[in-house]
Amino acid sequence: MQINHKPVVTFLICIVTVCVSFYVAYQISGSVLGKSRITELTNFGGLTVEGIKHLEIWRLVSSQLIHVHQKHMIYNVLSILFLGIIIERTVGSKYMLIIWLFAGSIGTLFSTQFTPPPWNVGTGASQAAFGLAGFGLFLIFSKIQRGYIFLCAIVFALIPALYLDFKSVGYPKAGHSLSFVIGFGLAIYYFYNVKQKLVQVAPES
């Protein structure tokens, strides 16, 4: 466990998300705390299947930085911050970035399949937060990480978001669910493949 590893990537993700989301909100509404229409966010990096077909791969990253509601953005950033600090200290910056990128982008793209056009634009950091929560839950189940602080961080990331999901559609949203599963799966892969290889190499070095 890299307990002295500085969570540089986590802080960078959070800072960039806040700056980009505020900037886009200001460009659209004239206020950093203003609300943006989902259709307007396409021009600012929102993720669409059509965009991926045109090889606009950068949208996989940019879509996670922009939000319709800035209050939602702040909640997502806090979730990523609380979870990311502990997870990055455990697995390092490289794998923290992988979790954020894969769980976030794939979940965001998947979420666009359940909304009719022109509102099928993937945005927001909640998918990444669910991916980190899935990764974190594996750490709890496998007793790699312990403590109420980390458990509270997972609850903070999941419960309010799930409440809103059930309130709006009656079930966990597809993008959130897939991102959670991806995060949990990445944790299994890391600790039963990558970590084992590191342990085997260590005595020889």
Side-chain angles (χ1 to χ4, degrees):
M1 183 183 299
Q2 304 175 29
I3 57 175
N4 295 319
H5 189 94
K6 295 182 179 179
V8 177
V9 168
T10 296
F11 287 125
L12 184 60
I13 289 172
C14 292
I15 292 170
V16 172
T17 301
V18 171
C19 292
V20 172
S21 192
F22 276 167
Y23 171 78
V24 171
Y26 182 79
Q27 291 298 310
I28 293 176
S29 68
S31 170
V32 295
L33 296 176
K35 178 182 177 180
S36 305
R37 292 190 182 91
I38 190 71
T39 52
E40 295 174 310
L41 291 176
T42 304
N43 297 326
F44 291 89
L47 183 59
T48 62
V49 174
E50 290 73 19
I52 297 301
K53 288 179 180 178
H54 288 87
L55 301 181
E56 296 173 349
I57 306 300
W58 52 272
R59 290 181 181 273
L60 295 172
V61 174
S62 62
S63 61
Q64 301 187 63
L65 307 176
I66 57 179
H67 293 74
V68 172
H69 301 279
Q70 300 315 300
K71 291 181 180 179
H72 187 206
M73 179 273 292
I74 293 172
Y75 164 71
N76 287 336
V77 165
L78 289 175
S79 297
I80 291 173
L81 180 65
F82 297 153
L83 291 170
I85 287 175
I86 298 175
I87 290 174
E88 189 172 350
R89 285 183 179 274
T90 305
V91 302
S93 298
K94 175 183 175 181
Y95 289 98
M96 172 61 195
L97 185 60
I98 289 174
I99 299 163
W100 176 81
L101 180 60
F102 276 81
S105 61
I106 295 174
T108 302
L109 182 61
F110 188 62
S111 68
T112 65
Q113 305 306 301
F114 299 87
T115 308
W119 300 281
N120 56 338
V121 181
T123 63
S126 59
Q127 284 73 219
F130 267 75
L132 290 170
F135 197 100
L137 201 60
F138 176 85
L139 300 187
I140 294 291
F141 285 161
S142 58
K143 298 182 180 180
I144 295 170
Q145 279 287 352
R146 300 180 182 181
Y148 289 110
I149 293 178
F150 191 44
L151 183 59
C152 287
I154 294 174
V155 171
F156 176 82
L158 291 178
I159 300 303
L162 287 173
Y163 169 77
L164 292 176
D165 284 355
F166 278 100
K167 184 178 179 180
S168 59
V169 296
Y171 52 84
K173 291 182 179 178
H176 290 167
S177 300
L178 179 60
S179 294
F180 181 87
V181 171
I182 291 173
F184 198 90
L186 286 173
I188 294 174
Y189 172 79
Y190 178 84
F191 287 100
Y192 287 105
N193 289 277
V194 177
K195 195 68 174 179
Q196 289 299 322
K197 291 178 182 178
L198 293 176
V199 171
Q200 292 171 5
V201 171
E204 300 176 4
S205 57

